[in-house]
Amino acid sequence: MERESMEYDVIIVGAGPSGLSSAIRLAQLCREHNKEHRICVLEKGAEVGAHILSGAVLEPRALNELIPNWQALNAPLKTAVSQDNFYYLTASGHYTLPTPPPMRNHGNYIISLGQLCQWLSTQAEELGIEIFAGFSASQCLYGENNEVIGIQTGDMGIDKNNQPKSSFQPGVNIYAKYTLFAEGCRGHLSQQLIHKYQLQQHSQPQTYGIGIKELWEIPTSQHQPGRIIHTVGWPLDPHTYGGSFVYHLADNLVSIGLVVGLDYKNPYLSPYQEFQRFKHHPLIASMLQEGRCIKYGARALNEGGWQSIPTLHFPGGLLIGCAAGFLNVAKIKGSHTAMKSGMLAAESIFEALNSNAPKIITTYQEKIHNSWIKEDLYPVRNLRPSFKWGLWPGLAYSAMDYYLLRGKAPWTFAHGKDNKATLLASQSKIIDYPKPDGKLSFDKMTSVSRANVYHDEDQPCHLHLQDKTIAVNVNYKQYAGLEARYCPAGVYEFVKSTGGNDVALQINAQNCIHCKTCDIKDPSQNICWVTPEGGGGPNYSNM
């Protein structure tokens, strides 16, 4: 098949905080030094911000460096944090805990990260950067020396039997001197590159959490703009890592969510159902009473910290942002470090473009180690893995590490792989979740409708089973069909044959909200998430 081709100096895959920050910084350097380099940003969402989901509280440190006059340019940072609360929840009550220093948010802003990315895309386009939304990077292109020389966008108009439809349009080969991968957590191509170039060889396995979020509009009497609430404890058991957030934005809006570590053990646990019952806690229910849920979403997030960051460079490109894993779990923030990583990558790329630098840019990793990213992440590297002992030992160790050792402990805790943590169903206790009431709690399909998700049903399934027999013989029989519970969108469904005892896994790919949980949590790593047709998926804009 003949494909059209395009050429740029730099391709950036992903128009999230890191991708747009790298594009802007590179364009700034070009202007400062009177250089011309063509820069292209690809975004698989239908528009910039469509696939961006976060809490989100922004620490503006990187933004201050990137665009110092952001306030004059009307950046969407309108709600300054005014109050921090940290609670331990029981089933019917709560206790106030001292807010750990990393979780104190003075000087930070409660924002919509999607709105910030839309604003950053405008700043990028004013600098001459070309941004193409609705185009997924489906595969990497390699040169004769095994280096990345660009990407190929996905074909459009392929039916579910992999045959071209009348609307067929072949993908385009886009070539570049360097390619930056800013796909976000568990990026499809980023994972391929990590495997191909063995980038995780000298680091711990990456670990993850699943964050489930709703946006509510509540009465003025219950709204406190700038207030932040974080909780630990109920509804999760003491051996399951996680916690909640409640952020009061402007305009009577409240962002509420629950994060569950994907190293949880019980296959009967459903992060979605845990979140639904969380909203019935008296502290939360009183806040949401008479309100209405207007949006829903879910997304995996990196939790591995400093010791899980892979080698960041490979022939022809770099990993930036959450594709590499720069989230600070102690702060529950990663946008500031993601943005800074993109800026440092841009500086390394600019140096390489204007010299005889080799295709492997090692200076980027050096810049990361010499930047405030390391100052941000290294001291808290042991906090998340300490919770493998349980909630209270984890809190106790974290306090000792932070206050006494000041993050300078002469040891670094190791991580295990999340998919290996799951126990067999025979070793686990069934969890009986209450039915949703339709006011505070909802069934999955009602929630999925609020994610504004769309996929053309007549396209190849983007959720690939490596071995179809494993779904029933292992996951269903040994783990009680856990994918039907860890998926927050009703994608996976075990269906019994009519009048028989045979069971088959039905994949409702059109429901997928691109959270990547299945790609992470499946015990046998049997499910591989690949990019669907460009423009498909959820639409989280303004969430």
Side-chain angles (χ1 to χ4, degrees):
M1 180 189 303
E2 286 194 20
R3 298 179 182 273
E4 293 184 10
S5 65
M6 304 171 68
E7 291 191 16
Y8 289 86
D9 292 297
V10 178
I11 300 170
I12 299 166
V13 181
S18 65
L20 291 169
S21 296
S22 64
I24 290 169
R25 183 63 187 134
L26 184 53
Q28 289 173 339
L29 290 167
C30 289
R31 284 196 173 187
E32 291 169 11
H33 295 85
N34 197 28
K35 300 287 185 179
E36 290 189 11
H37 295 297
R38 295 190 66 196
I39 307 164
C40 164
V41 179
L42 291 179
E43 168 55 44
K44 63 182 173 66
E47 60 184 12
V48 173
H51 291 174
I52 297 295
L53 188 70
S54 179
V57 174
L58 180 73
E59 182 178 311
R61 185 173 185 177
L63 183 61
N64 291 338
E65 295 178 10
L66 182 66
I67 306 176
N69 62 333
W70 56 264
Q71 291 175 308
L73 295 174
N74 201 31
L77 279 66
K78 306 299 183 184
T79 309
V81 176
S82 60
Q83 181 181 352
D84 272 309
N85 299 116
F86 186 39
Y87 300 120
Y88 169 73
L89 300 188
T90 64
S92 59
H94 66 276
Y95 298 91
T96 300
L97 298 175
T99 302
M103 295 174 65
R104 295 172 188 168
N105 286 288
H106 177 74
N108 297 334
Y109 294 83
I110 304 173
I111 67 166
S112 159
L113 193 59
Q115 287 182 346
L116 178 63
C117 288
Q118 291 168 4
W119 179 83
L120 286 172
S121 71
T122 300
Q123 308 308 306
E125 288 174 329
E126 289 178 356
L127 290 167
I129 295 161
E130 298 179 48
I131 300 176
F132 300 108
F135 291 90
S136 60
S138 66
Q139 59 182 320
C140 295
L141 301 175
Y142 298 97
E144 58 186 26
N145 295 316
N146 205 32
E147 79 278 20
V148 174
I149 58 173
I151 60 91
Q152 184 180 108
T153 64
D155 295 337
M156 308 281 279
I158 300 288
D159 68 20
K160 56 187 176 184
N161 296 315
N162 286 301
Q163 297 300 311
K165 298 185 286 190
S166 59
S167 59
F168 174 72
Q169 291 182 335
V172 178
N173 290 337
I174 307 181
Y175 298 99
K177 296 173 183 176
Y178 296 100
T179 305
L180 304 185
F181 291 84
E183 297 176 289
C185 177
R186 196 74 174 194
H188 166 54
L189 295 183
S190 303
Q191 289 300 303
Q192 291 182 7
L193 292 165
I194 289 171
H195 177 74
K196 178 180 177 66
Y197 294 112
Q198 300 183 33
L199 303 182
Q200 204 85 50
Q201 188 175 12
H202 302 294
S203 58
Q204 293 290 326
Q206 185 59 260
T207 63
Y208 304 88
I210 174 68
I212 301 174
K213 173 185 174 181
E214 291 175 349
L215 187 67
W216 282 68
E217 185 177 43
I218 64 174
T220 302
S221 60
Q222 293 151 222
H223 186 237
Q224 302 177 57
R227 185 186 184 191
I228 283 180
I229 296 173
H230 288 112
T231 78
V232 294
W234 191 90
L236 301 177
D237 66 73
H239 300 289
T240 300
Y241 179 83
S244 81
F245 61 86
V246 181
Y247 302 151
H248 287 247
L249 297 94
D251 303 320
N252 287 8
L253 295 177
V254 170
S255 170
I256 179 169
L258 181 73
V259 177
V260 179
L262 287 178
D263 60 347
Y264 68 81
K265 294 178 171 55
N266 190 340
Y268 290 107
L269 186 147
S270 165
Y272 177 85
Q273 297 291 358
E274 295 290 345
F275 174 53
Q276 295 307 313
R277 67 173 178 167
F278 161 74
K279 290 178 291 177
H280 286 275
H281 190 278
L283 177 70
I284 307 304
S286 63
M287 197 180 310
L288 301 180
Q289 187 177 9
E290 305 303 325
R292 66 186 185 98
C293 179
I294 55 180
K295 293 188 178 182
Y296 165 82
R299 188 71 171 92
L301 55 149
N302 307 100
E303 291 187 343
W306 182 257
Q307 59 267 53
S308 294
I309 295 173
T311 299
L312 300 170
H313 51 78
F314 49 88
L318 304 171
L319 297 177
I320 64 176
C322 286
F326 289 106
L327 179 78
N328 184 320
V329 179
K331 287 184 176 181
I332 323 176
K333 294 176 187 65
S335 296
H336 64 302
T337 45
M339 292 175 69
K340 181 63 174 179
S341 73
M343 295 157 63
L344 294 175
E347 293 171 8
S348 296
I349 291 289
F350 183 78
E351 293 166 1
L353 287 171
N354 296 287
S355 67
N356 293 319
K359 291 296 285 184
I360 301 179
I361 305 177
T362 59
T363 56
Y364 169 52
Q365 194 112 18
E366 295 168 8
K367 289 178 184 293
I368 294 288
H369 279 256
N370 293 326
S371 74
W372 56 255
I373 290 179
K374 183 175 182 179
E375 296 172 3
D376 202 76
L377 298 182
Y378 185 79
V380 298
R381 69 195 181 283
N382 286 325
L383 271 57
R384 170 62 179 95
S386 72
F387 282 85
K388 63 187 176 184
W389 301 316
L391 174 61
W392 295 111
L395 288 173
Y397 175 83
S398 297
M400 181 194 72
D401 194 311
Y402 191 85
Y403 289 107
L404 297 180
L405 302 177
R406 303 291 181 181
K408 298 178 181 179
W411 55 77
T412 296
F413 293 149
H415 292 298
K417 293 184 178 180
D418 291 331
N419 65 297
K420 298 293 185 183
T422 316
L423 297 176
L424 297 174
S426 60
Q427 301 170 303
S428 307
K429 182 179 178 181
I430 294 175
I431 302 175
D432 184 20
Y433 290 106
K435 292 183 178 180
D437 68 353
K439 296 178 181 179
L440 291 177
S441 51
F442 312 98
D443 61 83
K444 282 186 181 179
M445 290 305 96
T446 298
S447 293
V448 169
S449 70
R450 294 185 178 129
N452 302 311
V453 63
Y454 172 78
H455 296 93
D456 185 346
E457 293 191 25
D458 190 19
Q459 67 171 292
C461 179
H462 65 280
L463 301 159
H464 294 179
L465 299 181
Q466 311 289 359
D467 183 341
K468 293 183 179 181
T469 65
I470 287 178
V472 173
N473 294 337
V474 177
N475 287 12
Y476 182 78
K477 293 181 179 180
Q478 298 182 26
Y479 294 95
L482 79 168
E483 51 263 71
R485 284 181 290 275
Y486 63 54
C487 174
V491 171
Y492 299 98
E493 183 180 2
F494 285 95
V495 180
K496 289 188 176 181
S497 60
T498 305
N501 295 319
D502 292 336
V503 173
L505 177 64
Q506 177 175 297
I507 300 179
N508 307 307
Q510 68 275 10
N511 292 349
C512 181
I513 55 177
H514 299 195
C515 72
K516 309 291 183 67
T517 305
C518 58
D519 197 90
I520 299 165
K521 186 60 175 173
D522 187 82
S524 304
Q525 292 291 272
N526 190 45
I527 300 174
C528 180
W529 191 101
V530 302
T531 50
E533 192 169 281
N539 192 330
Y540 294 141
S541 297
N542 303 322
M543 190 173 177

